[in-house]
Amino acid sequence: MKPPKRQKMNNVAKLRPAGEGVSGNSRQLADEEPNQLGLLAHAAAQVTSGMETLGKAAYDFDPDTSQEDTARSAATANALRVVLKNKVRQLTVPMIITVKPESLATTMSRTKRPRTGFDEDEDFQKRIRLMKHEAAAIEAETQKYRRKFRSLRDAQSQPKQNTLLDFLAQHEQYYPMFDRLYSYLDVSDIVALTRTCKQFSGLDKLLLNTQWNVDRRLRRFVGNPKEFRALLGRHDALVSGDFALQFFERQVRQDCDLDIFVRKGSDTLALCNYLTDTEDYTSSPIKYGESSEQDIPPTTTLTLSRLDRDQIDFRKPKITLHCSHDIPLQEILETTYTTSLMNIISWNKAYSIFPLPTHIQHKTYLLTNLDDHFGALLSEQSRRGWDVQDVLWQEEESPFHPVQFERFIGDELTWIIPFDVDDMEQSKTPDQVLEYSQFGLDKVIHLVQHQEFYNYRISTIIFEACTMRYRYTHSGFNESFWNDFVSDRMDRLTRLQLYLMEPKHRPLHAFDDPDFGVHEGSFAKPPDWKYYDDKIPEWYEVWK
């Protein structure tokens, strides 16, 4: 009779060798094993609770309060989770691979423990103590993060205290103080402030409507600034001189006149009639109300003044009309004696031609030969805060500096401020006529009392063509590449338009003159004659 097969124990691990005896203290170990395993389970539960608490604290925290703290906490929790998983695996794997997931106490009570080269009981106790230590450390770390996140949540729930940054940025809430405070900043200070942080990045655009409000500046001279600007646009008049400089600098001086450059003739008479009839200005040298050009005196300037009762000191606002024989822009370019005064205000925009030296560096350079008369004028500029220099030093010359050989009024080196034109009559002359007008800037040497002096000289010519509706200024230098570029295209387009006309209607000798398309524009053009002013911006990009 075969001995009965030994009953296979389902709870014995596959890795446990069969047939090993029970050690002498197996009964005692079997009694103590459940308590030890309970401690291990409790420590594992503490570890798991610590991991969950850290994870919840990291991910439940509002990221809007501190994204850096949230990311740092999440990374810490993830790192601790990985470490704890390794610890749990290190402590529990020897039991898991030895015993199936049934009653550990029952299994250990009837299973022989394998003999090893070290005291397994002592090793097991060390593991239990290590697990407790790790659980306590995790619990302490969890409490620290709980306190930190609780304080941050409490801070977020409390109303924010206004800081200087909030005061400077929240212009709607503090507008009167906002406007007053920024009025004390120079242009260079405002530019620097816009580069400090994102909150101030659009500050310059916001201040254009407040600090650079042209209607507010013109109200000292006229009662209806928008109507007056519409009149400037209707007659292609421009404002320059001290008023334009003070507008960009946001200064107000009671001794400042309003200098208007307008073409001599009917345009000048229209402005005079408006100022005398509507704004109560007076002037003796001219008869108002008549439209004959013979009424214009031979002088190039007309000064109109009025008694302003609104002012305590009864100063008289003065408007000076500079009557030019050709387009007003040429008069401004060729008569301005220093770069700080090279600022132009049209009916809808303001242009600062040399913004970097004028408004950022507060430097001004000579545009005329130096003598005692201009020396006195430059002395006044110096008292007002500008450093007067003759020309750029060699180390200051740069392709990004506004002082260049050839410039355009509306190029990328010009500071342009657009105005509010809502509910205003629009000018028939497009902005491009002014903005794509060119001037040349050359450095010259002249002798003053046997001493060499340097200064700049601006040179312009009037450019017109048969295929252009408007007249522009070009650089007066012979080596003007833009003038040659446009002249060639206009000449070819003019000849093409002439061939589209019937031969009997063509001007005489049109094809005999090589420059007819550029300089001759007085013949009668047919209704379908085509003009190419709208191509100027496109050609400028190609030429540039």
Side-chain angles (χ1 to χ4, degrees):
M1 181 176 178
K2 295 182 179 180
K5 293 184 178 180
R6 189 173 182 178
Q7 185 178 359
K8 187 174 182 181
M9 300 174 59
N10 295 329
N11 296 330
V12 178
K14 296 178 181 180
L15 300 181
R16 182 179 298 281
E20 289 190 356
V22 182
S23 60
N25 59 353
S26 60
R27 178 66 60 183
Q28 181 182 359
L29 180 61
D31 294 336
E32 297 176 355
E33 198 71 49
N35 296 330
Q36 296 168 343
L37 292 174
L39 292 175
L40 178 60
H42 176 70
Q46 286 183 312
V47 173
T48 304
S49 174
M51 290 192 296
E52 292 178 353
T53 303
L54 280 179
K56 188 175 186 304
Y59 291 106
D60 286 351
F61 178 64
D62 187 359
D64 293 336
T65 301
S66 176
Q67 296 181 358
E68 294 182 0
D69 288 344
T70 302
R72 191 180 301 111
S73 302
T76 304
N78 290 332
L80 289 172
R81 185 179 291 107
V82 173
V83 172
L84 291 174
K85 282 183 177 179
N86 293 335
K87 291 290 183 181
V88 172
R89 187 180 298 109
Q90 178 183 356
L91 294 171
T92 58
V93 162
M95 295 172 54
I96 295 174
I97 64 173
T98 307
V99 183
K100 290 186 178 181
E102 294 183 3
S103 175
L104 294 176
T106 304
T107 303
M108 295 301 294
S109 64
R110 62 175 189 250
T111 305
K112 298 178 180 179
R113 298 179 60 85
R115 296 184 179 276
T116 58
F118 58 90
D119 190 347
E120 190 175 277
D121 222 7
E122 184 180 352
D123 181 65
F124 193 76
Q125 292 294 337
K126 288 182 179 180
R127 295 185 182 216
I128 292 295
R129 288 193 297 271
L130 179 61
M131 195 65 175
K132 287 182 178 181
H133 178 73
E134 294 289 344
I138 294 302
E139 180 65 22
E141 191 74 13
T142 302
Q143 292 299 330
K144 183 180 74 172
Y145 277 95
R146 280 177 178 171
R147 289 191 298 270
K148 180 178 180 181
F149 292 137
R150 189 180 299 113
S151 62
L152 291 175
R153 285 196 186 97
D154 294 341
Q156 185 185 17
S157 62
Q158 295 177 358
K160 273 189 174 181
Q161 295 183 354
N162 291 327
T163 63
L164 179 60
L165 183 64
D166 297 328
F167 174 75
L168 294 175
Q170 296 176 7
H171 58 277
E172 299 92 349
Q173 187 174 357
Y174 309 105
Y175 177 75
M177 292 179 287
F178 169 87
D179 188 58
R180 183 74 173 181
L181 179 62
Y182 280 102
S183 65
Y184 290 99
L185 298 181
D186 292 334
V187 176
S188 57
D189 298 330
I190 295 176
V191 172
L193 189 59
T194 59
R195 298 177 179 177
T196 55
C197 64
K198 188 176 181 180
Q199 284 183 276
F200 294 135
S201 59
L203 180 63
D204 53 340
K205 297 179 181 179
L206 174 66
L207 293 177
L208 291 181
N209 298 324
T210 58
Q211 300 293 317
W212 286 278
N213 189 320
V214 69
D215 292 336
R216 185 188 301 176
R217 304 285 179 175
L218 288 173
R219 197 165 282 114
R220 175 174 174 261
F221 297 93
V222 293
N224 191 334
K226 282 195 172 184
E227 183 181 17
F228 178 70
R229 287 197 287 125
L231 183 68
L232 295 180
R234 193 181 309 134
H235 298 283
D236 295 328
L238 300 173
V239 175
S240 188
D242 280 337
F243 177 85
L245 175 61
Q246 290 182 42
F247 168 76
F248 278 99
E249 286 290 306
R250 299 171 301 136
Q251 298 176 353
V252 178
R253 293 202 316 272
Q254 298 299 326
D255 60 344
C256 175
D257 298 342
L258 182 64
D259 294 280
I260 302 176
F261 292 77
V262 61
R263 189 170 181 177
K264 187 177 181 179
S266 60
D267 294 330
T268 300
L269 287 174
L271 285 174
C272 286
N273 290 335
Y274 175 84
L275 293 174
T276 55
D277 298 341
T278 305
E279 299 294 339
D280 297 330
Y281 281 84
T282 59
S283 180
S284 55
I286 186 172
K287 297 178 182 179
Y288 305 112
E290 301 182 10
S291 59
S292 173
E293 292 192 10
Q294 296 178 355
D295 293 332
I296 300 296
T299 57
T300 58
T301 60
L302 295 172
T303 302
L304 299 93
S305 61
R306 72 177 181 185
L307 185 63
D308 195 344
R309 299 283 180 182
D310 295 335
Q311 299 188 24
I312 299 177
D313 55 0
F314 293 98
R315 291 176 182 255
K316 294 182 178 181
K318 293 183 181 180
I319 297 179
T320 302
L321 298 182
H322 300 263
C323 310
S324 62
H325 293 278
D326 218 309
I327 59 178
L329 176 62
Q330 187 180 37
E331 182 81 8
I332 295 174
L333 293 173
E334 294 186 350
T335 59
T336 302
Y337 60 90
T338 185
T339 57
S340 62
L341 294 174
M342 191 63 72
N343 308 285
I344 301 171
I345 297 178
S346 69
W347 73 279
N348 65 338
K349 292 181 181 179
Y351 304 84
S352 179
I353 312 300
F354 300 97
L356 176 62
T358 303
H359 308 297
I360 304 299
Q361 301 172 344
H362 268 243
K363 295 180 180 180
T364 185
Y365 299 94
L366 299 181
L367 295 177
T368 187
N369 295 346
L370 189 62
D371 56 23
D372 291 335
H373 170 69
F374 288 112
L377 297 177
L378 292 170
S379 177
E380 181 67 21
Q381 292 292 312
S382 178
R383 286 194 298 270
R384 293 174 181 175
W386 277 270
D387 181 14
V388 180
Q389 297 187 9
D390 50 3
V391 295
L392 287 174
W393 302 117
Q394 184 177 3
E395 63 272 14
E396 294 178 320
E397 296 178 353
S398 165
F400 305 104
H401 198 283
V403 177
Q404 299 292 327
F405 177 70
E406 288 183 334
R407 287 282 311 281
F408 289 82
I409 299 299
D411 60 19
E412 61 277 3
L413 298 177
T414 297
W415 180 15
I416 303 177
I417 298 178
F419 299 150
D420 177 25
V421 294
D422 293 341
D423 303 325
M424 283 185 59
E425 175 189 348
Q426 304 295 305
S427 174
K428 295 181 180 179
T429 304
D431 295 339
Q432 73 170 51
V433 177
L434 177 62
E435 294 178 0
Y436 287 92
S437 289
Q438 187 195 38
F439 64 92
L441 189 67
D442 194 18
K443 183 165 62 175
V444 298
I445 304 175
H446 65 281
L447 294 177
V448 177
Q449 297 180 356
H450 307 289
Q451 299 292 328
E452 289 186 350
F453 277 83
Y454 291 84
N455 64 268
Y456 292 109
R457 178 190 61 179
I458 289 182
S459 177
T460 62
I461 59 172
I462 302 299
F463 180 82
E464 58 183 347
C466 297
T467 51
M468 295 174 62
R469 292 183 183 273
Y470 307 99
R471 306 167 76 214
Y472 301 75
T473 62
H474 280 190
S475 172
F477 301 138
N478 294 329
E479 59 272 22
S480 174
F481 300 104
W482 171 249
N483 185 73
D484 297 339
F485 180 84
V486 177
S487 297
D488 177 67
R489 296 196 174 196
M490 289 300 177
D491 184 67
R492 290 158 57 185
L493 291 172
T494 299
R495 297 185 185 280
L496 178 61
Q497 292 291 314
L498 290 174
Y499 274 108
L500 297 179
M501 297 173 60
E502 295 183 10
K504 62 180 180 179
H505 294 153
R506 295 172 189 164
L508 298 175
H509 312 294
F511 297 104
D512 297 334
D513 184 2
D515 296 328
F516 176 83
V518 176
H519 300 295
E520 180 58 49
S522 60
F523 66 96
K525 302 179 181 62
D528 58 348
W529 185 269
K530 190 173 182 180
Y531 297 93
Y532 292 90
D533 294 81
D534 59 330
K535 294 292 183 181
I536 295 296
E538 179 182 335
W539 292 348
Y540 171 76
E541 295 298 327
V542 175
W543 174 81
K544 186 176 64 172

